[in-house]
Amino acid sequence: MIKVTLIKSPSNEVKSVKATVAALGLKKIRSTNTFEENPAIMGQIKKVEYLLKVEKV
């Protein structure tokens, strides 16, 4: 399991980055979601990792 927390705002980012953050279920700063570790989720996290804090649970 991976715990993902939004730590920076995607407001000044391009549309695809905003869509990726929304697809991860993160709406506001400090919002958190947990996921099973799989290639699709890891690819999304890798794309926007500079906006996130990622922890193994």
Side-chain angles (χ1 to χ4, degrees):
M1 294 288 283
I2 295 178
K3 181 179 175 184
V4 179
T5 305
L6 186 64
I7 57 169
K8 285 184 149 184
S9 173
S11 64
N12 292 330
E13 301 296 330
V14 294
K15 192 180 282 189
S16 65
V17 170
K18 290 179 186 179
T20 302
V21 171
L24 289 170
L26 305 172
K27 295 184 179 186
K28 294 183 177 184
I29 294 178
R30 289 189 297 275
S31 63
T32 302
N33 209 346
T34 56
F35 300 100
E36 290 291 333
E37 215 172 321
N38 65 47
I41 294 297
M42 294 309 291
Q44 289 178 329
I45 290 171
K46 181 92 172 151
K47 181 175 181 177
V48 294
E49 66 185 345
Y50 58 96
L51 299 174
L52 306 174
K53 177 180 166 190
V54 181
E55 308 171 44
K56 291 210 177 212
V57 177

